Amino acid sequence: MSMTQKYVGTAQRRVDGHAKVTGGARYAAEFAAADLLHGAVVSGAIARGTITKIDTAAAEAVPGVVKVYTHENRPRTAWLDSSYRDDVAPPGHPFRALHSAKIMFSGQPVALVVADDFETATYAASLVEVSYDAEVPKTDLDAQKGQSYDPPKKRSGVEPPPKPRGHAEKAYAAAPVKVQQEYRVAVEHHNPMEPHATTVVWDGDGAITVHDKIQGVTNTQGYVTGVFGLSKDKVRCISPFMGGGFGSGLRPQYQLFLAVLASLDLERSVRVVLTRDQMFTFGHRPLTIQTLSLGAEPDGRLTSIIHDAVQETSHFEDYQENTVNWSGLLYKCDNTKFSYELAKLDTYTPADMRAPGAVLGLYALEAAMDELASATGVDPVELRLRNYIADTDQNTDKKLTSKALRECYTQGAERFGWSKRDARPRSMTDGRELVGWGMATGVWEAMMQKTSARATLTGDGRLEVATASADIGTGTYTILTQLGADALGLRMEDVTARLGDSSLPYSPIEGGSWTAASAGTAVQMACETVREKVFKLARQLDGSPLANQDLDHVTFRDGRIVVTNDPSRSVSLIDAIKSSNEGKVEAEETAAPSTIQARRFVSYTHSAVFVEVKVDEELGVVRVTRVVSAVAAGKILNLKTARSQILGGVVMGIGSALHEESMLDHNIGRFMNHNLGEYHVPVNADIGPIEVIFVDEPDDKASPIGVKGLGEIGIVGTGAAIANAVYHATGVRVRDLPITIDKLQGA
Amino acid sequence: MNRFDYVRATTVADALRAKASDSRSRFIAGGTNLLDLMKYDVERPTTVVDITHLPLTDIEDGPDGSLRIGALVSNSRLAYDARVQERFPLLSSAILAGASAQLRNAASTGGNLLQRTRCYYFYDTGTPCNKREPGTGCPAIEGVNRIHAILGTSDKCIATHPSDMCVALAALGATVRVEGPSGERSIAFADFHRLPGDTPQVESTLKPDEIIVSVDLPAADYGPHHTYLKLRDRQSYAFALVSVAAALKMDGGTVAEARIALGGVAHKPWRDESAEALLVGRAAGVDAFAAVADHILAPAVGRSENAFKIGLARKAIIRALSQAAAGTPQSQVDKRVQ
Ligand SMILES: Cc1cc2nc3c(=O)[nH]c(=O)nc-3n(C[C@H](O)[C@H](O)[C@H](O)COP(=O)(O)OP(=O)(O)OC[C@H]3O[C@@H](n4cnc5c(N)ncnc54)[C@H](O)[C@@H]3O)c2cc1C
Ligand code: SF4
């Protein structure tokens, strides 16, 4: 079928940009409802113990307060844990707000105050008096890691560590060159701009419309129906926009539970918005203590890789992510051994945060590879090329659908000017500052998930493409619009993408960088069916100039179906649609990964990140002055939104390497710097030029449209590249990120 | 946030009367600190007295090159005032090292002096804190204290004063002019902020019934020999871990007069006149600067997480004095440390 791509593969502005900058885009806390009530959450002060008394009298006495919910008067909800398990829940007992007097983490919601307005609710919430029987919390992973265990139940979607290959310990012992180090990255919170919020609109008759901050309305819908015993037709979820998620919006959070609880009980519309501080009371990137042992020949060829990780989780769930497996995948090595264990802390369950597992695992692996480069005297890029494995995943013995990582190394190095690097640490300077050049590899899974989409051509010649999927800021609206426009030869202005509504065709949560491949394919398929249908209609028109044509010999262009080698013969889409009985042409299709192919192939996105830092050594001040990120991610649908994804990922990687840290007070088990003034993300002054290269990577298996996904790869490897650059500049290895000024104070 | 009455004062006398009539009232100027504290339920005033309409918005020339800065002059206006930029560039530089453009537009001179510490526990009513609730204890001493004080602490409180502007004002020997029911008085800058001692809740010598009306700057002439060097966790929009305001009068290569104040290290801007005296008559150079730094930091005490500040402050003092002696003040635009 000949399909010209006018928009796909080019740089296009966001179709939702105007709505976003003018306030037209509505977020969860911005939906209006008649007689809306406002709920304020009271957060607990202790990390472990029991509520002995909760006095709500003063709050209830405030005029305008409608009701105060605590564990003592909470309306009944589902009994079984399974009813609370959302689509991405790890094994365990999902947290239930106001379930009992038991406190399991600091900041646990202990009451919801519902009032006529936000101010009253907030004020009354400050009057709720809670007394506790406090126990000493255990939140220090170093103290608890001795109690670590192999999680008995594996989290769905997360591969457990692969079985050992060869004899890793023996090979390590015999290796002429050895590197063995411990690495860690501080706990991070996602800190999206938009706080978590839910507006529940009471539609009457037991039906509600839920506007939730979520990376996928189907997860919210499933959770609400399960927990509150409602049927699907009573719960519609509409969340067309999200102000940043980074994984924090994958799982339904407690504000959703509380808002729905109050709405159903009061039979009123209710909104609950968390404060910035409360954003530190649920998921975070887990603290993970990793040990990397590399054995190699003097020429740098790896003979052994041993990667061990102990990661925190909560007492109620076994959160798991894929941290160590990357070390068996990325480089050729015949002797590997991995372990991944959990240790329980009195904190909330950790959560997926942009490239979960990979950010941590690749940091450790790529920092260790840099140490190996130093130990062997092999250039860091050359070291990686010497261990390059072109087409196989040794963990699974499956073939890779494509891997243009070699091109990432060469093109990234070229653009960065890597060949001018003096390998000796401390050898490059700029005035008073030491200059360091470091690099690292990134890798992330390229996945596809079962997703449905609908395409509708209406009588006015416009196309609507629709799926329940979310646009979490990544540009999903835009790429689906591009795909639809190209499939039917329309202008992008004539195409509307609809997302974030549970009444639309099914889509899973937006996460794992799979949405472009999955929703993109589904939209493409639906559009192809519409193409066929509308072509048939056009051919059947009386005296149709297309009468004897087939689809392969026509072109969809400018709202018309044109005979490719005789453009004087054409039919307008509008005329064709008019002839249909419904006055529109519609198709719904479902895209799913091929199971046959999955038996033989796996797919990954790769990157090579090159970083320049300048360090005022005496004072310990580090600046990232230049980054080049070369990415191989299959087909790039939109050069502009794709680049933005990588830029954002790199910036977040800079944050992880230099700034971000949620500081836990182990005496009270509480994260203390719980606001954006004291939890530091990079600001403009911290970011220098970032160059993004997309290397060519044709791939017809990763997904039918050749797309691999880009939401996460930008952050992976960036932390290691920065740490490696800091070493190159200063000769100092800092093995616990972030590299803050105190860690570079030297002797 | 609690419920409160709002009163707008248009004269100083009005403001004082409103304050006197309700012991739990608070003045609000830019509100950049007070409102946050109210949202956190740390401050729960029954009346908020809006003083932004008081006629305290001028920067006036005094005799002999001195300057009188009205309490309601915004941080931005002050930093960009031509007289300040020319005659008190150290003050301008310190202000521009702080907060963000938006905050500086809103923040007032008086409010900047009286802004509260950034100690995490102080802002979190879920934790004890002697400053917020006297007698409940100081969890920072054994807890998360990376940003806390190393000088002049007590076993009741180790919080810092977070202002950048005040560090320059301390170095420049400003005077705080205040007005109360019994009239006006002036407080030397060094006496304005207090050390925590046994009463960390009392942060200044301003009495509850008084208002700041101006900050007075004596004439200064350090030419290019000044600097404000701020070290922080990111290159902009973070409070100082350590900052140094330095101003020197040079006589060739010899120091004729020295002013040095530190921020981020104590419950008040930390000026040590005995250290300044050590420099007078000495040749400018790392040896002399190191001796000064060691003198200033001799009483410093580090805790579990903030001990690094002692070494960092030493290096910062040396660097700042080097910048000042060379007449190459730290730029607040180019974020590279010079
Ligand atoms: C995110 C953030 C980052 C910041 N970063 C920095 C930084 O890097 N460096 C820095 O120096 N500062 C920083 N600040 C603090 C900022 O400088 C102060 O909040 C500001 O100067 C306070 O001034 P204001 O007029 O807004 O005070 P307000 O909030 O109005 O008042 C503060 C206090 O002063 C009292 N008050 C105000 N005026 C008078 C008066 N005339 N007489 C008596 N009492 C008075 C009020 O009653 C109140 O108790 C930051 C603030 C924020 C929120
Ligand atoms: S340092 Fe001071 S402000 Fe901080 S917790 Fe201790 S007493 Fe409170």
Side-chain angles (χ1 to χ4, degrees), chain A residues 120 433 616 618 665 667 670 674 681 686 742 745, chain B residues 3 40-41 121 124 142 146 233-235 315 319 336:
Chain A
T120 303
E433 288 175 309
D616 184 308
E618 186 183 62
D665 178 325
N667 297 318
R670 195 169 175 92
H674 43 70
V681 296
D686 295 298
D742 46 311
Q745 288 308 304
Chain B
R3 296 193 160 170
Y40 287 127
D41 288 314
Y121 301 90
D124 184 343
E142 302 279 323
R146 188 169 173 278
D233 275 326
R234 59 185 169 194
Q235 290 177 56
K315 293 182 250 179
R319 179 72 64 87
R336 172 199 307 243

PDB file of all heavy atoms in Angstrom, chain A residues 120 433 616 618 665 667 670 674 681 686 742 745, chain B residues 3 40-41 121 124 142 146 233-235 315 319 336:
ATOM      1  N   THR A 120     -11.846  26.232  54.014  1.00  0.00           N
ATOM      2  CA  THR A 120     -12.445  25.681  55.236  1.00  0.00           C
ATOM      3  C   THR A 120     -11.909  24.274  55.500  1.00  0.00           C
ATOM      4  O   THR A 120     -11.568  23.928  56.637  1.00  0.00           O
ATOM      5  CB  THR A 120     -13.981  25.642  55.106  1.00  0.00           C
ATOM      6  OG1 THR A 120     -14.438  26.963  54.831  1.00  0.00           O
ATOM      7  CG2 THR A 120     -14.631  25.124  56.369  1.00  0.00           C
ATOM      8  N   GLU A 433      39.150  26.017  36.424  1.00  0.00           N
ATOM      9  CA  GLU A 433      38.348  24.795  36.520  1.00  0.00           C
ATOM     10  C   GLU A 433      39.025  23.597  35.856  1.00  0.00           C
ATOM     11  O   GLU A 433      39.658  23.725  34.807  1.00  0.00           O
ATOM     12  CB  GLU A 433      36.976  25.015  35.874  1.00  0.00           C
ATOM     13  CG  GLU A 433      36.071  25.917  36.689  1.00  0.00           C
ATOM     14  CD  GLU A 433      34.765  26.232  35.973  1.00  0.00           C
ATOM     15  OE1 GLU A 433      34.811  26.661  34.806  1.00  0.00           O
ATOM     16  OE2 GLU A 433      33.703  26.055  36.590  1.00  0.00           O
ATOM     17  N   ASP A 616      35.202  23.352  39.861  1.00  0.00           N
ATOM     18  CA  ASP A 616      36.074  24.175  40.689  1.00  0.00           C
ATOM     19  C   ASP A 616      36.516  23.262  41.824  1.00  0.00           C
ATOM     20  O   ASP A 616      35.776  23.014  42.763  1.00  0.00           O
ATOM     21  CB  ASP A 616      35.319  25.387  41.231  1.00  0.00           C
ATOM     22  CG  ASP A 616      36.240  26.321  42.010  1.00  0.00           C
ATOM     23  OD1 ASP A 616      36.942  25.826  42.916  1.00  0.00           O
ATOM     24  OD2 ASP A 616      36.257  27.522  41.715  1.00  0.00           O
ATOM     25  N   GLU A 618      38.769  23.269  44.211  1.00  0.00           N
ATOM     26  CA  GLU A 618      38.981  23.724  45.577  1.00  0.00           C
ATOM     27  C   GLU A 618      37.659  23.798  46.331  1.00  0.00           C
ATOM     28  O   GLU A 618      37.538  23.345  47.460  1.00  0.00           O
ATOM     29  CB  GLU A 618      39.639  25.098  45.526  1.00  0.00           C
ATOM     30  CG  GLU A 618      40.052  25.618  46.873  1.00  0.00           C
ATOM     31  CD  GLU A 618      40.634  27.024  46.738  1.00  0.00           C
ATOM     32  OE1 GLU A 618      39.901  27.949  46.308  1.00  0.00           O
ATOM     33  OE2 GLU A 618      41.803  27.179  47.054  1.00  0.00           O
ATOM     34  N   ASP A 665      15.015  11.266  57.886  1.00  0.00           N
ATOM     35  CA  ASP A 665      15.449  11.292  59.280  1.00  0.00           C
ATOM     36  C   ASP A 665      15.102   9.922  59.866  1.00  0.00           C
ATOM     37  O   ASP A 665      13.922   9.598  60.046  1.00  0.00           O
ATOM     38  CB  ASP A 665      14.720  12.409  60.034  1.00  0.00           C
ATOM     39  CG  ASP A 665      15.113  12.449  61.508  1.00  0.00           C
ATOM     40  OD1 ASP A 665      15.345  11.370  62.101  1.00  0.00           O
ATOM     41  OD2 ASP A 665      15.179  13.560  62.064  1.00  0.00           O
ATOM     42  N   ASN A 667      15.509   8.761  62.770  1.00  0.00           N
ATOM     43  CA  ASN A 667      14.968   8.754  64.137  1.00  0.00           C
ATOM     44  C   ASN A 667      13.449   8.811  64.119  1.00  0.00           C
ATOM     45  O   ASN A 667      12.784   8.209  64.959  1.00  0.00           O
ATOM     46  CB  ASN A 667      15.508   9.941  64.940  1.00  0.00           C
ATOM     47  CG  ASN A 667      17.011   9.853  65.093  1.00  0.00           C
ATOM     48  OD1 ASN A 667      17.544   8.777  65.341  1.00  0.00           O
ATOM     49  ND2 ASN A 667      17.691  10.970  64.911  1.00  0.00           N
ATOM     50  N   ARG A 670      11.023   9.962  58.627  1.00  0.00           N
ATOM     51  CA  ARG A 670      10.294  10.919  57.782  1.00  0.00           C
ATOM     52  C   ARG A 670      11.246  11.568  56.785  1.00  0.00           C
ATOM     53  O   ARG A 670      12.374  11.910  57.143  1.00  0.00           O
ATOM     54  CB  ARG A 670       9.710  11.992  58.707  1.00  0.00           C
ATOM     55  CG  ARG A 670       8.639  12.905  58.137  1.00  0.00           C
ATOM     56  CD  ARG A 670       8.048  13.670  59.318  1.00  0.00           C
ATOM     57  NE  ARG A 670       7.076  14.683  59.017  1.00  0.00           N
ATOM     58  CZ  ARG A 670       5.755  14.491  58.969  1.00  0.00           C
ATOM     59  NH1 ARG A 670       5.266  13.286  59.135  1.00  0.00           N
ATOM     60  NH2 ARG A 670       4.938  15.503  58.758  1.00  0.00           N
ATOM     61  N   HIS A 674      10.689  18.039  52.264  1.00  0.00           N
ATOM     62  CA  HIS A 674       9.533  17.735  51.425  1.00  0.00           C
ATOM     63  C   HIS A 674       8.885  18.965  50.796  1.00  0.00           C
ATOM     64  O   HIS A 674       7.693  19.216  50.956  1.00  0.00           O
ATOM     65  CB  HIS A 674       8.504  16.921  52.213  1.00  0.00           C
ATOM     66  CG  HIS A 674       8.276  17.405  53.616  1.00  0.00           C
ATOM     67  ND1 HIS A 674       7.637  18.570  53.897  1.00  0.00           N
ATOM     68  CD2 HIS A 674       8.643  16.873  54.803  1.00  0.00           C
ATOM     69  CE1 HIS A 674       7.590  18.728  55.211  1.00  0.00           C
ATOM     70  NE2 HIS A 674       8.191  17.720  55.783  1.00  0.00           N
ATOM     71  N   VAL A 681      15.725  20.162  42.286  1.00  0.00           N
ATOM     72  CA  VAL A 681      15.810  19.690  40.907  1.00  0.00           C
ATOM     73  C   VAL A 681      16.642  20.739  40.167  1.00  0.00           C
ATOM     74  O   VAL A 681      16.747  21.869  40.623  1.00  0.00           O
ATOM     75  CB  VAL A 681      14.411  19.533  40.263  1.00  0.00           C
ATOM     76  CG1 VAL A 681      13.613  18.468  40.985  1.00  0.00           C
ATOM     77  CG2 VAL A 681      13.658  20.848  40.266  1.00  0.00           C
ATOM     78  N   ASP A 686      21.599  25.456  35.815  1.00  0.00           N
ATOM     79  CA  ASP A 686      22.363  24.207  35.915  1.00  0.00           C
ATOM     80  C   ASP A 686      22.490  23.474  34.585  1.00  0.00           C
ATOM     81  O   ASP A 686      23.156  22.455  34.500  1.00  0.00           O
ATOM     82  CB  ASP A 686      21.679  23.258  36.920  1.00  0.00           C
ATOM     83  CG  ASP A 686      21.695  23.823  38.322  1.00  0.00           C
ATOM     84  OD1 ASP A 686      22.796  24.025  38.849  1.00  0.00           O
ATOM     85  OD2 ASP A 686      20.612  24.076  38.874  1.00  0.00           O
ATOM     86  N   ASP A 742      29.495  18.605  49.269  1.00  0.00           N
ATOM     87  CA  ASP A 742      30.160  18.023  50.438  1.00  0.00           C
ATOM     88  C   ASP A 742      30.980  16.801  50.060  1.00  0.00           C
ATOM     89  O   ASP A 742      31.965  16.479  50.721  1.00  0.00           O
ATOM     90  CB  ASP A 742      29.111  17.645  51.502  1.00  0.00           C
ATOM     91  CG  ASP A 742      27.924  16.910  50.917  1.00  0.00           C
ATOM     92  OD1 ASP A 742      27.374  17.398  49.913  1.00  0.00           O
ATOM     93  OD2 ASP A 742      27.563  15.852  51.449  1.00  0.00           O
ATOM     94  N   GLN A 745      34.780  17.574  48.930  1.00  0.00           N
ATOM     95  CA  GLN A 745      35.601  18.439  49.770  1.00  0.00           C
ATOM     96  C   GLN A 745      36.997  17.893  49.991  1.00  0.00           C
ATOM     97  O   GLN A 745      37.866  18.564  50.515  1.00  0.00           O
ATOM     98  CB  GLN A 745      34.913  18.720  51.118  1.00  0.00           C
ATOM     99  CG  GLN A 745      33.720  19.654  50.976  1.00  0.00           C
ATOM    100  CD  GLN A 745      34.062  20.927  50.221  1.00  0.00           C
ATOM    101  OE1 GLN A 745      34.972  21.651  50.614  1.00  0.00           O
ATOM    102  NE2 GLN A 745      33.365  21.192  49.127  1.00  0.00           N
TER     103      GLN A 745
ATOM    104  N   ARG B   3      -7.850  30.809  60.110  1.00  0.00           N
ATOM    105  CA  ARG B   3      -8.615  31.979  59.672  1.00  0.00           C
ATOM    106  C   ARG B   3      -8.084  33.200  60.397  1.00  0.00           C
ATOM    107  O   ARG B   3      -7.681  33.115  61.547  1.00  0.00           O
ATOM    108  CB  ARG B   3     -10.074  31.753  59.985  1.00  0.00           C
ATOM    109  CG  ARG B   3     -10.537  30.573  59.170  1.00  0.00           C
ATOM    110  CD  ARG B   3     -12.009  30.464  59.158  1.00  0.00           C
ATOM    111  NE  ARG B   3     -12.373  29.652  58.006  1.00  0.00           N
ATOM    112  CZ  ARG B   3     -13.593  29.191  57.800  1.00  0.00           C
ATOM    113  NH1 ARG B   3     -14.554  29.482  58.634  1.00  0.00           N
ATOM    114  NH2 ARG B   3     -13.855  28.473  56.748  1.00  0.00           N
ATOM    115  N   TYR B  40       1.792  26.354  56.259  1.00  0.00           N
ATOM    116  CA  TYR B  40       2.307  25.195  57.000  1.00  0.00           C
ATOM    117  C   TYR B  40       1.799  25.162  58.445  1.00  0.00           C
ATOM    118  O   TYR B  40       2.237  24.327  59.220  1.00  0.00           O
ATOM    119  CB  TYR B  40       3.837  25.221  57.016  1.00  0.00           C
ATOM    120  CG  TYR B  40       4.463  24.860  55.696  1.00  0.00           C
ATOM    121  CD1 TYR B  40       5.410  25.693  55.099  1.00  0.00           C
ATOM    122  CD2 TYR B  40       4.137  23.681  55.041  1.00  0.00           C
ATOM    123  CE1 TYR B  40       6.008  25.359  53.899  1.00  0.00           C
ATOM    124  CE2 TYR B  40       4.719  23.337  53.843  1.00  0.00           C
ATOM    125  CZ  TYR B  40       5.658  24.179  53.278  1.00  0.00           C
ATOM    126  OH  TYR B  40       6.239  23.847  52.091  1.00  0.00           O
ATOM    127  N   ASP B  41       0.957  26.129  58.813  1.00  0.00           N
ATOM    128  CA  ASP B  41       0.457  26.223  60.194  1.00  0.00           C
ATOM    129  C   ASP B  41       1.560  26.463  61.206  1.00  0.00           C
ATOM    130  O   ASP B  41       1.404  26.174  62.399  1.00  0.00           O
ATOM    131  CB  ASP B  41      -0.344  24.966  60.586  1.00  0.00           C
ATOM    132  CG  ASP B  41      -1.690  24.928  59.879  1.00  0.00           C
ATOM    133  OD1 ASP B  41      -2.361  25.971  59.866  1.00  0.00           O
ATOM    134  OD2 ASP B  41      -2.044  23.869  59.317  1.00  0.00           O
ATOM    135  N   TYR B 121      12.642  20.978  59.986  1.00  0.00           N
ATOM    136  CA  TYR B 121      11.774  20.609  61.105  1.00  0.00           C
ATOM    137  C   TYR B 121      10.906  21.792  61.525  1.00  0.00           C
ATOM    138  O   TYR B 121       9.759  21.633  61.916  1.00  0.00           O
ATOM    139  CB  TYR B 121      12.616  20.121  62.291  1.00  0.00           C
ATOM    140  CG  TYR B 121      13.478  18.937  61.946  1.00  0.00           C
ATOM    141  CD1 TYR B 121      14.762  19.114  61.453  1.00  0.00           C
ATOM    142  CD2 TYR B 121      12.993  17.642  62.089  1.00  0.00           C
ATOM    143  CE1 TYR B 121      15.551  18.031  61.120  1.00  0.00           C
ATOM    144  CE2 TYR B 121      13.774  16.542  61.757  1.00  0.00           C
ATOM    145  CZ  TYR B 121      15.058  16.744  61.270  1.00  0.00           C
ATOM    146  OH  TYR B 121      15.840  15.676  60.933  1.00  0.00           O
ATOM    147  N   ASP B 124       7.747  21.894  59.636  1.00  0.00           N
ATOM    148  CA  ASP B 124       6.965  20.659  59.617  1.00  0.00           C
ATOM    149  C   ASP B 124       6.334  20.438  60.986  1.00  0.00           C
ATOM    150  O   ASP B 124       6.988  19.960  61.911  1.00  0.00           O
ATOM    151  CB  ASP B 124       7.895  19.498  59.235  1.00  0.00           C
ATOM    152  CG  ASP B 124       7.154  18.176  59.084  1.00  0.00           C
ATOM    153  OD1 ASP B 124       6.006  18.059  59.564  1.00  0.00           O
ATOM    154  OD2 ASP B 124       7.738  17.257  58.491  1.00  0.00           O
ATOM    155  N   GLU B 142      20.360  15.624  65.967  1.00  0.00           N
ATOM    156  CA  GLU B 142      20.685  14.220  65.695  1.00  0.00           C
ATOM    157  C   GLU B 142      20.085  13.755  64.376  1.00  0.00           C
ATOM    158  O   GLU B 142      20.067  12.566  64.080  1.00  0.00           O
ATOM    159  CB  GLU B 142      20.115  13.322  66.808  1.00  0.00           C
ATOM    160  CG  GLU B 142      20.599  13.647  68.207  1.00  0.00           C
ATOM    161  CD  GLU B 142      21.978  13.043  68.457  1.00  0.00           C
ATOM    162  OE1 GLU B 142      22.216  11.933  67.958  1.00  0.00           O
ATOM    163  OE2 GLU B 142      22.785  13.703  69.118  1.00  0.00           O
ATOM    164  N   ARG B 146      22.252  18.770  57.392  1.00  0.00           N
ATOM    165  CA  ARG B 146      23.229  19.149  56.379  1.00  0.00           C
ATOM    166  C   ARG B 146      23.282  20.662  56.144  1.00  0.00           C
ATOM    167  O   ARG B 146      24.338  21.202  55.818  1.00  0.00           O
ATOM    168  CB  ARG B 146      22.839  18.438  55.073  1.00  0.00           C
ATOM    169  CG  ARG B 146      23.823  18.565  53.979  1.00  0.00           C
ATOM    170  CD  ARG B 146      23.487  17.614  52.837  1.00  0.00           C
ATOM    171  NE  ARG B 146      24.376  17.900  51.731  1.00  0.00           N
ATOM    172  CZ  ARG B 146      24.157  18.882  50.882  1.00  0.00           C
ATOM    173  NH1 ARG B 146      23.068  19.611  50.985  1.00  0.00           N
ATOM    174  NH2 ARG B 146      25.019  19.120  49.920  1.00  0.00           N
ATOM    175  N   ASP B 233      23.545  24.268  46.643  1.00  0.00           N
ATOM    176  CA  ASP B 233      23.362  22.937  46.070  1.00  0.00           C
ATOM    177  C   ASP B 233      22.969  22.929  44.603  1.00  0.00           C
ATOM    178  O   ASP B 233      22.880  21.880  43.999  1.00  0.00           O
ATOM    179  CB  ASP B 233      22.342  22.141  46.885  1.00  0.00           C
ATOM    180  CG  ASP B 233      23.011  21.470  48.073  1.00  0.00           C
ATOM    181  OD1 ASP B 233      24.179  21.075  47.935  1.00  0.00           O
ATOM    182  OD2 ASP B 233      22.377  21.345  49.137  1.00  0.00           O
ATOM    183  N   ARG B 234      22.645  24.059  44.047  1.00  0.00           N
ATOM    184  CA  ARG B 234      22.500  24.168  42.597  1.00  0.00           C
ATOM    185  C   ARG B 234      22.901  25.595  42.264  1.00  0.00           C
ATOM    186  O   ARG B 234      23.112  26.413  43.156  1.00  0.00           O
ATOM    187  CB  ARG B 234      21.088  23.797  42.135  1.00  0.00           C
ATOM    188  CG  ARG B 234      20.003  24.638  42.719  1.00  0.00           C
ATOM    189  CD  ARG B 234      18.604  24.142  42.318  1.00  0.00           C
ATOM    190  NE  ARG B 234      17.609  24.831  43.134  1.00  0.00           N
ATOM    191  CZ  ARG B 234      16.336  24.466  43.244  1.00  0.00           C
ATOM    192  NH1 ARG B 234      15.890  23.425  42.587  1.00  0.00           N
ATOM    193  NH2 ARG B 234      15.499  25.146  44.001  1.00  0.00           N
ATOM    194  N   GLN B 235      22.986  25.899  40.986  1.00  0.00           N
ATOM    195  CA  GLN B 235      23.665  27.148  40.662  1.00  0.00           C
ATOM    196  C   GLN B 235      22.796  28.388  40.793  1.00  0.00           C
ATOM    197  O   GLN B 235      23.272  29.509  40.649  1.00  0.00           O
ATOM    198  CB  GLN B 235      24.265  27.038  39.264  1.00  0.00           C
ATOM    199  CG  GLN B 235      25.434  26.056  39.295  1.00  0.00           C
ATOM    200  CD  GLN B 235      26.043  25.835  37.944  1.00  0.00           C
ATOM    201  OE1 GLN B 235      26.457  26.782  37.306  1.00  0.00           O
ATOM    202  NE2 GLN B 235      26.076  24.600  37.507  1.00  0.00           N
ATOM    203  N   LYS B 315      37.596  27.510  52.782  1.00  0.00           N
ATOM    204  CA  LYS B 315      37.992  27.740  51.391  1.00  0.00           C
ATOM    205  C   LYS B 315      37.220  28.913  50.785  1.00  0.00           C
ATOM    206  O   LYS B 315      37.765  29.669  49.980  1.00  0.00           O
ATOM    207  CB  LYS B 315      37.769  26.464  50.576  1.00  0.00           C
ATOM    208  CG  LYS B 315      38.722  25.348  51.006  1.00  0.00           C
ATOM    209  CD  LYS B 315      38.527  24.112  50.168  1.00  0.00           C
ATOM    210  CE  LYS B 315      37.902  23.000  50.938  1.00  0.00           C
ATOM    211  NZ  LYS B 315      37.686  21.792  50.159  1.00  0.00           N
ATOM    212  N   ARG B 319      38.781  32.231  49.134  1.00  0.00           N
ATOM    213  CA  ARG B 319      38.467  32.605  47.760  1.00  0.00           C
ATOM    214  C   ARG B 319      37.836  33.996  47.696  1.00  0.00           C
ATOM    215  O   ARG B 319      38.186  34.816  46.841  1.00  0.00           O
ATOM    216  CB  ARG B 319      37.536  31.575  47.121  1.00  0.00           C
ATOM    217  CG  ARG B 319      37.115  31.875  45.680  1.00  0.00           C
ATOM    218  CD  ARG B 319      38.229  31.673  44.674  1.00  0.00           C
ATOM    219  NE  ARG B 319      38.642  30.291  44.607  1.00  0.00           N
ATOM    220  CZ  ARG B 319      38.066  29.371  43.824  1.00  0.00           C
ATOM    221  NH1 ARG B 319      37.076  29.703  43.035  1.00  0.00           N
ATOM    222  NH2 ARG B 319      38.504  28.127  43.823  1.00  0.00           N
ATOM    223  N   ARG B 336      29.543  30.626  37.029  1.00  0.00           N
ATOM    224  CA  ARG B 336      30.836  29.996  37.310  1.00  0.00           C
ATOM    225  C   ARG B 336      31.512  30.706  38.490  1.00  0.00           C
ATOM    226  O   ARG B 336      31.543  31.931  38.549  1.00  0.00           O
ATOM    227  CB  ARG B 336      31.686  30.153  36.054  1.00  0.00           C
ATOM    228  CG  ARG B 336      33.130  29.749  36.157  1.00  0.00           C
ATOM    229  CD  ARG B 336      33.911  30.391  35.017  1.00  0.00           C
ATOM    230  NE  ARG B 336      33.312  30.119  33.730  1.00  0.00           N
ATOM    231  CZ  ARG B 336      33.923  29.419  32.748  1.00  0.00           C
ATOM    232  NH1 ARG B 336      35.121  28.938  32.922  1.00  0.00           N
ATOM    233  NH2 ARG B 336      33.323  29.249  31.598  1.00  0.00           N
TER     234      ARG B 336
END
